[in-house]
Amino acid sequence: MGKAIGGLSNPEIRWENTVSANKIHSSEEKRRESLFKHLEKSVASKFEGSKLSPFGSLESGLSLKGGDFDLCLQIPNADEKKILKRIGGMLRGQGMEKVQTISRAKVPIVKFVDPRSGLNVDISINNTLALYNTKLLSTYANLDKKVRDLTICVKHWALHRNLSDSVNGTLSSYAWSILVINHLQEQGVIPNLQSGDDRVIVELEGKEYDVTIDEKASIGNSSSKSIADLAQSFFLNYATRNWDGEVISIRKGSPISRDEKGWMNEE
């Protein structure tokens, strides 16, 4: 592990420095809270029965600093494209910059930059499943500091190697978070929060989803494994994985076969 400095080995110091340099600081959190309140008042309040909610990596605590601020506007019986166009007009009228309405995406969004806070913001309509996914990841992040720290290290690594851009064929930020959680489950650092016989099922847009989360789970004594050790085992784990036959599943807490998942192998 190299020569020890101040009780920590060189690799461990490097990983800890990576976390410190890339985690969200209180000043960014305050800017985000201020912008959220402004958008609640100036945008969400214009739609009857609506609710604006943050989601994504910033909300779960698994984001690098400077990450996009994802918001979901829930509106009953919404015409998403018309609403997004209207929101785009509102934002331009408020002086927001680089306002762009992307209505043909799988999840239609309005993208813009708030010039006061410098935050990049995405607003989607009725993206409710993402709120449940964020709650799950946030619960994992609150179990143990190592979840946040390892996720920040891995995302920093992926970002600087152009491996965190789903639009261009690599993994999304969300996918990297899932890989970290799966690895920490397999290493015995965190438990599976979706196990057990009692299930919570919700219906969204005519489909049923299992959104079970054991919010009372705890880990007792934290693992003695360092971030350096977990980072090394993370890369070894996924570099030697049987990707032709296995699929990652944090719900099960262990790999499942491609046949069981219904995913066909492709050349």
Side-chain angles (χ1 to χ4, degrees), residues 85-99:
K85 186 176 180 180
R86 183 180 169 190
I87 291 174
M90 292 178 181
L91 295 170
R92 293 185 183 93
Q94 295 175 21
M96 297 299 181
E97 299 176 347
K98 299 181 180 178
V99 179

Side-chain angles (χ1 to χ4, degrees), residues 4 21 30 33 35 51-52 67 78 85 87 102 113 122 129 135-136 142 154 181 204 215 227 246 249 258:
K30 289 178 181 178
E33 290 171 4
L35 176 58
K51 180 181 179 181
L52 187 67
K85 186 176 180 180
I87 291 174
I102 305 175
V113 177
D122 293 351
L129 183 60
K135 183 179 180 181
L136 175 63
N142 290 328
V154 168
I181 290 170
L204 303 173
E215 297 183 62
I227 292 300
E246 294 181 352
S249 173
R258 282 183 172 269

Side-chain angles (χ1 to χ4, degrees), residues 117-148:
S117 65
L119 292 170
N120 293 279
V121 187
D122 293 351
I123 299 180
S124 55
I125 309 298
N126 292 337
N127 190 14
T128 309
L129 183 60
L131 299 178
Y132 287 105
N133 290 337
T134 298
K135 183 179 180 181
L136 175 63
L137 267 59
S138 179
T139 307
Y140 272 116
N142 290 328
L143 276 176
D144 192 303
K145 181 175 177 290
K146 290 184 176 68
V147 179
R148 282 190 173 93

